[in-house]
């Protein structure tokens, strides 16, 4: 239809143009300096039309060429981006597989075409760290931080993880402290801080961190309880290492009631008091604890602790026979408390009862020592040999202790 209309227009216009040319051809004179150009008006119109057509053709050609150029540029750009994505993916696979050298090479090659160079830089830094190339690791971390204003936390976390892995805990702590100020309660920061505080044995800071770990569900509740126990034990060991009785007792007072009822913590605390020659204080705590929370370990420690009134201490322990009379640990401790009160016959009875219920090395040693001091060498040697057999030790020469040694 368009062609038909065009042909129709040409057929209508052509006779009109022919009639106009025959009627008056006219002329056009162009003069420039000494040069003149003269032509009919219709030739001028034809030249003008030809020039306009030529410019139109040139313009269309240039426009089409620009589109082709854009397509070519887009093709190479897409090809570069696809190559970058492919190398990034292969680099990540190599990183997961532990092929650090290959991973770093692929990741760095893909940076120019990568849509997320931060990831490439961070993984390249980690790969360099795995290769032991600290300088390259710092270089890539610096480049990563320049990629975005929001990259500082990711860079700090990566740097801190590598510092922890190298055992540079003080540097990691400084890095994480800065990161925590910039990202309040950041979960990954808290998790790394737990490792750093544990490694530095900074028990006070670890205990202060635990509420945040619990609040943000960084670790399981059981693991947080374990960490709290470790931190509390660490504080006790530190105070004990300073031989500071006041600090040890202050530590116990500051414990929550729940932890004061914990048998392991109570045992560690009382054993520390005994070591620091505060046996009377230890005996009181053990006595209160055993009324609430029966523990064989605590009973054994009670039997090795000399209270302020050893006769009353023995009487108190004997009241526990009603509920725990079959416990070998209680019978062993009653025997030891009887020895401390110089009740040799009663001590022998308690040791023998414990032996009949559950023979063990400690009971056999105590019986052997007691019988030796009572002059019954044959029985003493028999129990001592059995004790050594139960312990799996070599048989040394048997000592000959005296009763006054108790």
């Amino acid at each position: 239809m368009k062609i038909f209309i065009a042909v129709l227009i040409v057929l209508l216009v052509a006779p009109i143009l022919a009639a106009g040319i025959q009627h008056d051809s006219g002329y056009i004179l162009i003069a420039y300096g000494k040069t003149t150009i003269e032509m009919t008006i219709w030739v001028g119109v034809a030249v003008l039309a030809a020039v306009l057509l030529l410019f139109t053709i040139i313009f269309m050609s240039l426009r089409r060429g620009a589109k082709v150029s854009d397509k070519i540029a887009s093709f190479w750009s897409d090809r570069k981006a696809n190559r970058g994505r492919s190398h990034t993916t292969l680099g990540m696979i190599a990183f997961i597989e532990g092929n650090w050298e290959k991973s770093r090479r692929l990741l760095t090659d893909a940076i120019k075409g990568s849509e997320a160079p931060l990831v490439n830089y961070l993984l390249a830094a980690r790969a360099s760290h795995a290769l032991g190339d600290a300088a390259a690791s710092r270089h890539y971390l610096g480049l990563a931080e320049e990629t975005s204003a929001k990259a500082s936390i990711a860079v700090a976390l990566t740097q801190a993880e590598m510092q922890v892995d190298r055992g540079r805990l003080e540097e990691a702590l400084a890095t994480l402290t800065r990161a925590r100020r910039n990202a309040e309660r950041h979960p990954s920061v808290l998790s790394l801080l737990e490792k750093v505080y544990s490694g530095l044995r900074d028990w006070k800071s670890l205990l202060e961190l635990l509420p945040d770990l619990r609040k943000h569900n960084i670790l399981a509740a059981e693991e947080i309880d374990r960490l709290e126990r470790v931190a509390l034990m660490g504080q006790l060991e530190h105070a004990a290492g300073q031989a500071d009785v006041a600090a040890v007792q202050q530590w116990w007072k500051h414990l929550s009631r729940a932890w004061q009822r914990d048998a392991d913590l109570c045992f560690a605390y009382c054993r520390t008091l005994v070591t620091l020659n505060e046996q009377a204080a230890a005996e009181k705590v053990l006595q209160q604890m055993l009324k609430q929370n029966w523990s064989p370990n605590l009973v054994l420690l009670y039997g090795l602790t000399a209270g302020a009134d050893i006769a009353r201490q023995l009487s108190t322990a004997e009241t526990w026979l009603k509920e725990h009379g079959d416990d070998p640990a209680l019978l062993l401790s009653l025997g030891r408390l009887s020895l401390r009160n110089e009740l040799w016959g009663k001590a022998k009875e308690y040791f023998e009862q414990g032996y009949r219920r559950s023979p063990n090395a400690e009971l056999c040693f105590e019986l052997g020592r007691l019988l030796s001091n009572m002059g019954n060498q044959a029985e003493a040697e028999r129990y001592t040999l059995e004790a050594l057999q139960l312990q799996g030790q070599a048989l040394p020469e048997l000592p000959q202790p005296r009763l006054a040694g108790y």
Side-chain angles (χ1 to χ4, degrees), residues 20-84:
I21 292 171
Q22 290 178 356
H23 175 70
D24 186 1
S25 60
Y27 75 95
I28 296 174
L29 178 64
I30 301 173
Y32 183 76
K34 295 181 180 182
T35 303
T36 60
I37 300 173
E38 185 177 349
M39 66 185 76
T40 65
I41 192 171
W42 301 109
V43 173
V45 170
V47 170
L48 179 61
V51 171
L52 290 175
L53 179 61
L54 178 62
F55 275 108
T56 301
I57 292 173
I58 293 172
F59 174 76
M60 295 298 292
S61 299
L62 291 174
R63 186 177 179 184
R64 181 172 294 179
K67 288 183 178 180
V68 172
S69 178
D70 289 343
K71 288 182 179 179
I72 294 173
S74 178
F75 168 78
W76 286 109
S77 178
D78 291 344
R79 187 174 182 274
K80 191 175 182 180
N82 289 334
R83 180 176 179 273

Side-chain angles (χ1 to χ4, degrees), residues 226-339:
R226 186 193 68 81
L227 285 173
E228 187 171 4
R229 181 190 300 276
V230 169
L232 291 173
M233 287 287 195
Q235 285 185 324
L236 176 60
E237 289 176 7
H238 177 74
Q242 302 297 318
D244 189 343
V245 176
V248 170
Q249 292 178 328
Q250 196 69 17
W251 171 86
W252 179 257
K253 289 179 181 178
H254 285 152
L255 289 183
S256 65
R257 290 186 178 180
W259 282 118
Q260 285 185 346
R261 289 194 293 268
D262 183 85
D264 292 336
L265 283 184
C266 181
F267 179 85
Y269 171 62
C270 293
R271 185 176 57 182
T272 301
L273 289 178
V274 171
T275 303
L276 297 176
N277 202 29
E278 291 290 331
Q279 297 196 50
E283 188 269 333
K284 288 182 180 179
V285 175
L286 287 169
Q287 185 181 138
Q288 294 173 357
M289 182 67 177
L290 286 166
K291 291 178 180 178
Q292 304 170 2
N293 186 7
W294 185 259
S295 166
N297 284 338
L298 294 179
V299 172
L300 289 172
L301 184 58
Y302 188 80
L304 295 170
T305 303
D309 186 341
I310 57 174
R312 184 175 180 181
Q313 184 179 356
L314 174 59
S315 298
T316 299
E318 287 178 330
T319 62
W320 299 333
L321 286 169
K322 295 178 181 179
E323 295 184 9
H324 307 284
D326 293 333
D327 191 337
L330 175 58
L331 294 170
L332 175 59
S333 293
L334 285 169
R336 286 169 171 168
L337 291 171
S338 299
L339 288 177

Side-chain angles (χ1 to χ4, degrees), residues 14-246:
I16 297 173
L17 288 175
I21 292 171
Q22 290 178 356
H23 175 70
D24 186 1
S25 60
Y27 75 95
I28 296 174
L29 178 64
I30 301 173
Y32 183 76
K34 295 181 180 182
T35 303
T36 60
I37 300 173
E38 185 177 349
M39 66 185 76
T40 65
I41 192 171
W42 301 109
V43 173
V45 170
V47 170
L48 179 61
V51 171
L52 290 175
L53 179 61
L54 178 62
F55 275 108
T56 301
I57 292 173
I58 293 172
F59 174 76
M60 295 298 292
S61 299
L62 291 174
R63 186 177 179 184
R64 181 172 294 179
K67 288 183 178 180
V68 172
S69 178
D70 289 343
K71 288 182 179 179
I72 294 173
S74 178
F75 168 78
W76 286 109
S77 178
D78 291 344
R79 187 174 182 274
K80 191 175 182 180
N82 289 334
R83 180 176 179 273
R85 284 192 292 269
S86 175
H87 277 208
T88 298
T89 301
L90 292 174
M92 294 175 70
I93 292 172
F95 183 87
I96 294 171
E97 292 174 347
N99 195 338
W100 313 120
E101 187 66 45
K102 180 181 178 182
S103 174
R104 183 171 66 174
R105 176 172 52 79
L106 289 169
L107 289 167
T108 52
D109 286 347
I111 285 174
K112 291 183 179 179
S114 175
E115 298 174 353
L118 174 62
V119 175
N120 293 64
Y121 284 131
L122 291 178
L123 287 179
R126 290 178 181 271
S128 299
H129 169 70
L131 290 168
D133 192 346
S137 181
R138 289 192 297 270
H139 172 68
Y140 289 125
L141 284 177
L143 293 175
E145 195 162 13
E146 294 174 2
T147 60
S148 172
K150 298 180 179 180
S152 59
I153 299 301
V155 172
L157 288 173
T158 302
Q159 185 178 21
E161 285 182 13
M162 293 188 293
Q163 288 168 338
V164 170
D165 189 53
R166 289 195 295 265
R168 297 162 64 177
L169 299 179
E170 291 82 2
E171 295 180 16
L173 179 59
T175 302
L176 291 169
T177 301
R178 291 193 300 270
R180 193 176 184 184
R181 285 200 300 266
N182 296 331
E184 186 66 19
R185 311 302 187 197
H186 197 283
S188 297
V189 173
L190 299 177
S191 180
L192 282 172
L193 278 173
E194 178 269 312
K195 295 180 181 178
V196 171
Y197 288 145
S198 296
L200 292 173
R201 301 177 67 83
D202 186 350
W203 308 124
K204 180 176 181 296
S205 297
L206 179 58
L207 288 171
E208 291 173 352
L209 182 70
L210 292 180
D212 287 337
L213 293 176
R214 200 182 301 275
K215 176 181 177 182
H216 295 279
N217 296 318
I218 304 300
L219 298 171
E222 296 79 8
E223 178 63 14
I224 294 177
D225 290 341
R226 186 193 68 81
L227 285 173
E228 187 171 4
R229 181 190 300 276
V230 169
L232 291 173
M233 287 287 195
Q235 285 185 324
L236 176 60
E237 289 176 7
H238 177 74
Q242 302 297 318
D244 189 343
V245 176

